[in-house]
Amino acid sequence: MSEQYVVMKLGNEFYGASVMQVISIERMMNISQVPRTLSYIKGVVNLRGTVTPVIDLRERVGLTRNGQESDATRIVVTEVNDMTVGMIVDAVEDVVSIEDGGIAPPPPVVGGIHAVYLKGVAQVGDRLLVILNLEKILSDVELEQLQEVDRQVRG
Amino acid sequence: MDISQYLDAFLAESEDNLTTLNDLCLQLEQQGAEDSIFAAMFRVAHTLKGMSATMGFTKMAELTHRMEDALGYVRAHPEVFQPSVVDIFLAAVDALTMNLQSIRDHGQDAHLDHGGLLAQLAAVMAGNEQPAIQKAASNGLSADVFEKLRELRRDGLTVGVIEIELSSSCVMKGVRMVMIMRAIEQFGDSLACYPEASLLEEGEFEGPVQIAVVVNGASISDVMAAIADITEVETVREIDLDAVAASSQSEQHSAQSAAAPEQPAAASTATPVSGRGREQTLRVPVGRIDEFMNVLSELVIARTRLDLLAQQSGDPALREVSEQIGRLSENLQEGVMNMRMMPVEALFQRFPRMMRDLQKSLDREFDFEMTGLETEMDRTIMDEMGEALVHLLRNAADHGLESPDVRERNGKPRRGKITLSAYATGGHIYLEVRDDGGGIEREKVLQSAVKKGVIAPEQAKGMSDEQVFELLFASGFSTAQTVSDISGRGVGLDAVRGKVNSLGGTIRIESKVGEGTAFIIELPLTLTILPAMLVRVGEELFAVPTANIEEVARVDASDLEWVHEHPVVRFRDKVVPVLDLGDKFFGRTCGEQHPWNTVICKDGKDYVALTVTEIVDELEVVNKPLGRYLANVKMFSGATILGDGQVALILDVREVLQLGA
C-alpha cells in the first residue's frame, strides 16, 4: 500500500501533506487580517462563500527564514477534524506516492517543540520530503495561544 | 417491515402526544375528575400504545397499555380519583419521555424496566376494586347521532342503530367486538358507536353496545342476522331512530367525538380542552431550513455585489433591476426568518409541570402564570434559552418567594405568584421571570459580596442598587441561606448571563424589597442577518452591529477630556472612554489628526467610543461563523462577505469593551 502526498515548497525545503487531507490548492488571494490573534494566523479569506482562516505554514512549523510572496505562492486548503484551514506555501510542486514504510523518523537536527509537527522524512527521487503531521499542526492552537499569552506576560 | 423510515415521524409525534398528556395531567389536577379530560388522555395513551406496538417498542407499548387500562378504570370510576393518581400518571409520562429518549439514542427500549410503575398503575385499579362496574351516566349514542341518521334517512340511505349485548360469560369482549365490526363492514359502514371504538376494541365496557350503521344494497336485518351468528352475542335489536329526540346544546360535544371515531387522536385531543385553534402545519427538519438560509445568505451577498456594480455602471435600467432584486430578496429573507420563528409556547410548555413539582418539593405555595405564549422567536435562540429559564424559574420559587408562613407574617397572601412572560418590541424579544416575593435585600447582597471578596468593604457604600444587583451575576455568588437541592446545582446566574450574552442579548434585574423581583432578558430577533455599520481601521474593514451603535460622532481635541492619561468624551451625561481601534488592533493609531471619526457603542449599560479611520457604509450583513479553528477568537462574533468578495470581521462589542478595561 502507498499513500499520495502533495509536495509543497518552503524556501529550498520540501514538505508533504497527505492528499486525503487536502481539499484544494488556491492562488494567493486577498487576506483580511484578524487582529489580536497568533502571529502565524494571517487572517481569513473568502473561499467560494465560506470564511476560511489562513496560516503561514513557514511560521507555524518554526522556520526562521522569511519567504517572499511571488506568483508561485499558493494556499493549500486542508481539512482535519472538521477544521478547514488554508496554509500559505511558497509553491506547490506535484503529487507523489510513498510506500508504507518509506517514511523514516525525523532526524535529530529537528529539535524542540517543532519536532511534533513532523511525522517523518521520506526520500522521493533525489529529494528529501518532510511529511507534516497536520492533526498536530492544526489542533494545537489553544496550547499556542496560552504560550503566546505567557510570552506577553513575561515580556 | 423496515420501520426506520418512520422512526423520525414516530419520535416527533410521540413527543407531541406526551406533551399533550402532560398538560392533561395538570388539568386533571386543577379541575378534578372531568370525563372530557379522561377521554382525551385515554385517546392519547391509546395512540401512543398503538404506534409503539407497531414500531416494535415493547416496553413503551406495555407501559402505555397499562396506563390506558388505569385511565379507563378511573374514568369509569371517578369516585376513586385522588391527587396521588395524578402523580402516578405524571411519573408514567416521565418514564415514557425517558423511554422515547432511549429509542432516539439507541433505537430500542428493550433494556428498560418500568416494573415499579406498572405495579403502581395496577394498584390504581386493584386498590379500588369493586365487583360491579357501574354504567356511565348516559348509556347510548347521543341525540345528535340520531339526528344525523334521520337526516341521512331523508336523503334515501339505509341507516339504523343496532344494540348488541354480549353474553355475560364472554371473556374476550374486545375480540368479539372486532368481529362484529367486521361483520358490519361487509354490508356497509359503522358511523358511530357507544362506547367509543377504542374502548370496544379493548373490551373496556359493560352492558349493551350501540352502533350506528349505514348499509349499501342490503337491509338492517341482514346486518343483524350476521351479527347474531357471532358466538357469545346474546341479543341483537334495532333501535327506533325516531324514539330519541333532538339534542340539547350540552350534548353537542360528545356527539362530535362519537360521530368521528376514526379521527386521529392527536388532532382531536388538543381541541376540546385547550380551546385554541390549530393551524395547518408541515413538519420540516430544522436542518433543511438552515440549508435554505445558507443559500439565502449567498443571495444577499450576491445582491449587495449587484448593487455595487449597478451603481458603478450608472445604467438606470440595471439599477432598476438591481433594486427590484433587492426588494425580492428582502421578502424572501423575511419569509425564511418567519419559518425559523416559533411561538415560545414550544419552549414554555414544559414549565407548568416543573413548577408544579417544585411546589411539592419546596416549602412554597404559588400560582404560576405564563403570558405571551404566541410570541414568536428564532428557533435556535429558543433552544439555547431553555436551561437558563429553568434556572431563573427555580430561583424564583426557591429564593424569590418567601415561605407561606413568612408571607402571612408580612401581611401577604400565603400563595405567592410567579409569572413568566414573553413579548416582542423594537426588534427585540423579551423574556421576563417575575415573582412577588421578598425582593433583593441590598445589605444582604453587599455583606455576602464583601465576605466572598467580590468587592472591598469601602466599595459597598457608594454602589447604586443597579450595581448591587449586578453582583448577583458574579461567578460563584449566592445569597441563599441554605444551599438547597433546587438551586444549588446546575447553572448559576453567571452561567445564565453568559448564555444570554453569547446569543447577543442582555439580562437585568428589577427588584423592590417586600414586593418582588424580576429578571428581564432581552434577545435579538434573529442571529444570521443583521444590520451593521462598515468601518475601516487602517487597511481593514470591520462591521459593527447597528444594535450596539448609539451614535456616530466626530470628536475634536476640544471635546476630549482626560482621565489618568486616557481620553474620554461626554455622552448623555456619561463619561465614555475613547478607544483607538487602530492602536488596539494593529498598533497604528487612527487618530493622527482631529477630528476623530468615532462610533459610540453600547453594551448593556457600558459605553465606549471607538475611533476608526473611516466610516464607510451602513448595510445588512450575513453573519458567517469563523469556524472551529478560530473558536478562540472572541473579539469577533463572525465575519461577513462584502459585495466585492472581501471578508469583513464582525466586532463583538462586549469583548471590545474589555480592551478598555
Side-chain angles (χ1 to χ4, degrees):
Chain A
M1 281 295 288
S2 66
E3 206 177 328
Q4 292 190 304
Y5 291 86
V6 176
V7 179
M8 302 171 293
K9 200 171 170 199
L10 290 180
N12 47 16
E13 297 178 25
F14 296 93
Y15 287 80
S18 166
V19 288
M20 304 301 291
Q21 295 172 326
V22 174
I23 299 178
S24 67
I25 294 161
E26 311 285 336
R27 286 188 173 278
M28 197 56 187
M29 52 181 116
N30 222 319
I31 299 176
S32 300
Q33 284 187 60
V34 179
R36 305 182 73 89
T37 184
L38 300 167
S39 71
Y40 63 77
I41 297 180
K42 289 300 153 195
V44 287
V45 296
N46 167 14
L47 197 66
R48 289 174 286 277
T50 306
V51 176
T52 311
V54 171
I55 63 171
D56 185 334
L57 183 60
R58 179 193 292 274
E59 220 177 310
R60 181 68 184 95
V61 296
L63 301 187
T64 48
R65 266 177 297 239
N66 277 332
Q68 275 287 314
E69 193 182 319
S70 73
D71 261 4
T73 306
R74 292 288 180 273
I75 297 176
V76 178
V77 183
T78 61
E79 191 185 82
V80 177
N81 300 333
D82 286 336
M83 276 186 292
T84 310
V85 179
M87 305 188 300
I88 303 171
V89 299
D90 290 347
V92 171
E93 298 272 304
D94 55 359
V95 174
V96 296
S97 276
I98 298 174
E99 292 294 318
D100 284 359
I103 300 175
V109 288
V110 189
I113 58 162
H114 297 302
V116 298
Y117 301 132
L118 312 179
K119 248 186 199 143
V121 292
Q123 187 76 35
V124 178
D126 54 356
R127 276 177 189 165
L128 209 53
L129 190 64
V130 183
I131 307 295
L132 293 172
N133 183 348
L134 285 183
E135 284 88 347
K136 265 271 180 285
I137 288 177
L138 299 185
S139 69
D140 276 354
V141 208
E142 210 162 327
L143 183 76
E144 286 283 316
Q145 212 120 35
L146 286 176
Q147 286 169 349
E148 177 91 2
V149 171
D150 190 50
R151 271 196 291 277
Q152 279 173 2
V153 170
R154 285 165 206 260
Chain B
M1 182 176 72
D2 177 24
I3 55 159
S4 56
Q5 62 186 107
Y6 305 116
L7 190 60
D8 284 345
F10 165 76
L11 288 171
E13 260 174 54
S14 298
E15 209 166 82
D16 283 354
N17 279 323
L18 283 177
T19 309
T20 311
L21 212 47
N22 194 48
D23 290 349
L24 288 168
C25 283
L26 296 181
Q27 284 179 17
L28 198 59
E29 186 165 64
Q30 281 159 15
Q31 298 169 17
E34 283 249 355
D35 195 59
S36 64
I37 301 176
F38 281 129
M41 289 178 77
F42 189 90
R43 278 197 295 273
V44 180
H46 183 72
T47 311
L48 281 168
K49 182 191 74 176
M51 291 200 302
S52 51
T54 314
M55 298 290 289
F57 300 125
T58 50
K59 290 292 164 60
M60 184 165 168
E62 189 183 2
L63 183 53
T64 42
H65 185 109
R66 293 295 177 83
M67 201 171 168
E68 198 184 345
D69 286 350
L71 275 166
Y73 184 87
V74 182
R75 186 183 178 193
H77 305 86
E79 70 280 359
V80 308
F81 176 78
Q82 52 192 42
S84 67
V85 172
V86 177
D87 288 333
I88 296 174
F89 286 145
L90 280 173
V93 173
D94 287 345
L96 287 170
T97 309
M98 197 190 79
N99 198 319
L100 212 57
Q101 189 58 40
S102 156
I103 293 171
R104 194 189 308 277
D105 294 343
H106 312 293
Q108 47 109 338
D109 66 350
H111 58 288
L112 295 175
D113 179 18
H114 297 310
L117 256 178
L118 293 178
Q120 276 183 312
L121 285 171
V124 170
M125 297 191 288
N128 305 290
E129 211 166 37
Q130 283 163 348
I133 297 177
Q134 292 166 357
K135 281 183 193 169
S138 84
N139 55 1
L141 289 166
S142 77
D144 278 3
V145 175
F146 282 92
E147 179 61 44
K148 187 66 139 271
L149 289 171
R150 284 193 291 269
E151 224 172 83
L152 292 172
R153 191 176 56 183
R154 278 197 293 280
D155 294 343
L157 292 169
T158 314
V159 293
V161 172
I162 301 172
E163 188 174 89
I164 303 150
E165 209 156 347
L166 295 176
S167 119
S168 56
S169 60
C170 174
V171 279
M172 297 172 78
K173 291 189 287 190
V175 177
R176 294 297 164 217
M177 285 316 300
V178 172
M179 290 172 71
I180 290 169
M181 290 295 186
R182 289 220 181 113
I184 294 172
E185 278 163 21
Q186 288 176 352
F187 298 96
D189 283 313
S190 77
L191 296 177
C193 51
Y194 175 89
E196 269 175 49
S198 53
L199 292 174
L200 292 181
E201 282 168 29
E202 292 305 310
E204 292 284 341
F205 63 95
E206 282 294 311
V209 173
Q210 290 187 352
I211 303 175
V213 293
V214 52
V215 292
N216 310 316
S219 68
I220 296 292
S221 46
D222 291 338
V223 183
M224 286 167 62
I227 293 173
D229 275 350
I230 295 168
T231 36
E232 292 184 307
V233 171
E234 195 121 300
T235 58
V236 183
R237 68 184 187 98
E238 187 176 359
I239 292 179
D240 183 3
L241 286 188
D242 302 308
V244 180
S247 75
S248 65
Q249 277 297 337
S250 64
E251 281 178 314
Q252 200 85 25
H253 169 66
S254 61
Q256 274 169 5
S257 59
E262 285 117 304
Q263 204 177 9
S268 57
T269 43
T271 21
V273 259
S274 80
R276 232 151 21 91
R278 281 210 171 180
E279 259 184 284
Q280 283 265 334
T281 54
L282 184 65
R283 258 180 213 286
V284 180
V286 179
R288 248 187 246 175
I289 293 183
D290 286 346
E291 272 168 40
F292 191 32
M293 196 69 196
N294 278 340
V295 177
L296 196 65
S297 318
E298 303 292 316
L299 180 68
V300 172
I301 291 162
R303 180 204 115 189
T304 319
R305 189 159 179 194
L306 178 66
D307 219 29
L308 194 76
L309 290 175
Q311 274 172 25
Q312 282 167 357
S313 80
D315 178 349
L318 182 58
R319 282 248 286 271
E320 199 180 305
V321 175
S322 158
E323 271 164 28
Q324 193 183 359
I325 288 183
R327 278 195 301 276
L328 290 174
S329 79
E330 255 164 46
N331 289 346
L332 210 51
Q333 202 175 308
E334 214 169 288
V336 185
M337 291 299 197
N338 280 337
M339 266 200 257
R340 291 169 56 97
M341 301 295 256
M342 283 180 72
V344 290
E345 190 180 9
L347 172 66
F348 284 10
Q349 63 192 4
R350 61 185 164 127
F351 295 139
R353 167 71 192 281
M354 183 187 94
M355 296 309 270
R356 169 203 176 270
D357 290 353
L358 274 183
Q359 287 199 56
K360 297 217 159 180
S361 59
L362 291 166
D363 171 31
R364 295 288 185 274
E365 289 173 26
F366 59 83
D367 294 318
F368 178 55
E369 252 177 45
M370 303 196 294
T371 64
L373 290 179
E374 67 292 338
T375 311
E376 296 200 323
M377 207 170 148
D378 189 291
R379 166 89 206 214
T380 321
I381 303 181
M382 194 148 78
D383 287 348
E384 296 278 324
M385 282 309 300
E387 208 185 338
L389 281 182
V390 167
H391 183 79
L392 291 179
L393 287 170
R394 285 182 158 170
N395 217 43
D398 197 10
H399 306 314
L401 291 183
E402 319 90 325
S403 68
D405 293 344
V406 172
R407 287 180 68 92
E408 221 157 44
R409 242 181 288 141
N410 294 340
K412 290 166 117 178
R414 275 183 77 82
R415 280 185 88 74
K417 189 170 165 189
I418 295 177
T419 325
L420 171 62
S421 31
Y423 51 94
T425 167
H428 287 96
I429 299 278
Y430 294 85
L431 299 175
E432 252 181 56
V433 175
R434 201 174 274 277
D435 65 60
D436 70 345
I440 297 168
E441 281 174 55
R442 184 191 156 91
E443 285 312 312
K444 234 186 225 171
V445 176
L446 286 175
Q447 273 172 24
S448 180
V450 170
K451 207 163 84 196
K452 294 198 168 98
V454 180
I455 52 166
E458 56 275 20
Q459 255 179 300
K461 285 240 160 6
M463 289 177 88
S464 68
D465 282 356
E466 238 176 49
Q467 286 170 317
V468 174
F469 298 160
E470 276 302 292
L471 291 173
L472 294 171
F473 292 111
S475 64
F477 192 91
S478 165
T479 54
Q481 306 283 349
T482 54
V483 173
S484 72
D485 168 48
I486 305 302
S487 310
R489 62 181 171 201
V491 289
L493 277 182
D494 56 325
V496 171
R497 162 167 283 189
K499 177 54 84 184
V500 172
N501 288 350
S502 73
L503 295 169
T506 56
I507 180 167
R508 65 192 169 84
I509 300 179
E510 279 175 7
S511 179
K512 264 210 173 121
V513 173
E515 287 177 26
T517 308
F519 285 84
I520 301 157
I521 298 174
E522 181 190 294
L523 292 165
L525 270 180
T526 187
L527 290 175
T528 32
I529 299 184
L530 63 154
M533 186 169 282
L534 203 61
V535 299
R536 188 162 61 81
V537 177
E539 299 297 308
E540 299 288 337
L541 290 172
F542 295 93
V544 187
T546 311
N548 288 112
I549 298 179
E550 287 292 301
E551 201 168 283
V552 173
R554 290 163 74 82
V555 174
D556 266 309
S558 57
D559 300 326
L560 289 176
E561 289 172 79
W562 295 83
V563 175
H564 205 257
E565 295 187 339
H566 287 290
V568 297
V569 289
R570 302 283 185 128
F571 177 70
R572 292 184 199 158
D573 300 332
K574 285 184 191 297
V575 176
V576 178
V578 180
L579 224 90
D580 185 335
L581 274 193
D583 182 46
K584 292 292 178 187
F585 281 180
F586 305 112
R588 290 186 301 271
T589 179
C590 308
E592 273 165 347
Q593 52 189 19
H594 288 288
W596 292 346
N597 288 314
T598 63
V599 184
I600 299 179
C601 297
K602 179 189 174 190
D603 178 75
K605 308 181 308 350
D606 301 325
Y607 289 81
V608 67
L610 302 175
T611 306
V612 298
T613 314
E614 185 193 357
I615 287 157
V616 183
D617 199 2
E618 216 175 330
L619 73 175
E620 292 227 300
V621 299
V622 178
N623 191 344
K624 294 194 167 247
L626 289 178
R628 270 190 67 190
Y629 188 71
L630 295 179
N632 287 313
V633 173
K634 300 277 184 247
M635 196 66 62
F636 307 98
S637 57
T640 190
I641 296 173
L642 301 171
D644 61 358
Q646 279 296 303
V647 180
L649 295 165
I650 300 171
L651 241 58
D652 185 335
V653 170
R654 179 182 314 276
E655 289 294 323
V656 175
L657 270 163
Q658 307 301 318
L659 289 178

